[in-house]
Amino acid sequence: MSEFISLYSGSSGNSSVVRCGQRYLIVDMGKGVRTTGAALKAVELDPADCDGILVTHEHSDHVKGLSTFLKKHPLPVYGAEETLGFLEENHVVPPSCDMTALTQGREAEIGGFGVKAFPTSHDVPCVGYRIHTPDEKTMTIATDLGVLTPVVHEALSDCDLVALESNYDLHMLRSGPYPYYLRARIESVRGHLSNDECAAKLLELIQGGCKKFALCHLSQENNTPALALQTVFSTLGAAGVVPDRECIVQTQRRNEVSPALAF
C-alpha cells in the first residue's frame, strides 16, 4: 500500500512524504531538522529508509532545513539542474551532498520509485513530481504554480492520488494585509493557485477517475483549511458530484503532521 503524508505545509515551510511499505521519498524540506525529525518520528519513519529527497525549487520554505538535515542524514538530493545549482552555489547543501539533476519529462528510478519531474509556472525555476510507487500506483504533487499549463494538466491526469496547491482565497487575499505588489505576484501566472482554481481542477480530475486528493501549501494569511475544503465541495456540489468526504483532505499549515492518505 502507498501513502502520501504531509509532514508540514504552508507559508512557513513545506515537506511531504510518499511511502510504499518501509521505503519512502521526501519532497522538499522547508523547516529545521528538529521539526522535520519530529514529524518523521511521529509517523514512525526512519531516515535510513528514505531513498532520497526531491526538491521542487529554491525558495526557503522548501529548502531551509536541508543543510542541517543532510549533515546528519547524508541522503541523495534530486531536482532540476537550475535548482541544484542554486543549492550548491549558495551552500544550502553540504559540499559532500550527492545531487542528481532530473531531466524533465523523463522518468528516473530512485530506489523502487519511478520519478518524473515536470515544470510549473512560478517566479523561479520550479517543478512538480509524478511518482510511480513500487506497488504500481501513481501520484502527482504540484505546488507553487500560478497557472495550470498543458504540461501540468498531463502530469495530473490518470493518477491514483493528486496533491495540488490550494494556496489562497481570492477575497481574503485582496482584502488582507499584503501590499499590492505582493498580492499581484501571488495572483499572477507565476505565483500561486487559488482555492477556486484548485477546486475546478479537482472536479475535472474526479470526473476523469481520480479518487484521492490532498490540498497543499495553504497560505496562513490568505486561507484557512475549512475554507479550502468548503470551496472544493461547493464546486463539486454545483456540478452534481458528491464524493466521499474522506477522499479530499487539506494539509496542516503549522507543525502538525497530516494523517496518512492511502492510495
Side-chain angles (χ1 to χ4, degrees), residues 127-147:
V127 299
Y129 291 104
R130 184 176 172 99
I131 301 171
H132 292 134
T133 64
D135 61 351
E136 300 184 351
K137 297 297 181 73
T138 302
M139 71 84 59
T140 292
I141 180 167
T143 66
D144 297 79
L145 65 168
V147 65

Side-chain angles (χ1 to χ4, degrees), residues 14 56-62 83 118-128 143-149 152 165 167 182 185-193 217:
N14 298 271
T56 60
H57 64 296
E58 67 193 48
H59 284 159
S60 63
D61 59 321
H62 294 259
T83 300
F118 58 90
T120 63
S121 179
H122 202 42
D123 54 5
V124 297
C126 186
V127 299
T143 66
D144 297 79
L145 65 168
V147 65
L148 292 161
T149 63
V152 175
E165 177 172 72
N167 182 256
L182 184 54
R185 170 191 172 269
I186 291 169
E187 282 189 52
S188 77
V189 296
R190 290 167 57 84
H192 290 278
L193 211 62
H217 210 318

Side-chain angles (χ1 to χ4, degrees), residues 9 14 22 43 45 57 81 90 102-103 105 118 129 134 141 153 184 206 223 230 247 252:
S9 180
N14 298 271
Q22 189 174 354
V43 291
L45 290 176
H57 64 296
E81 184 174 359
N90 291 274
L102 299 178
T103 302
F118 58 90
Y129 291 104
I141 180 167
H153 281 291
I206 288 173
N223 208 355
Q230 177 187 337
C247 84
Q252 304 298 331

Side-chain angles (χ1 to χ4, degrees), residues 3 5 7 16-26 36-37 39-50:
E3 293 178 320
I5 305 169
L7 300 179
S16 57
V17 162
V18 180
R19 174 169 64 182
C20 183
Q22 189 174 354
R23 309 302 301 179
Y24 67 96
L25 299 172
I26 296 173
T36 304
L40 290 171
K41 185 177 180 180
V43 291
E44 300 181 343
L45 290 176
D46 187 335
D49 295 326
C50 180

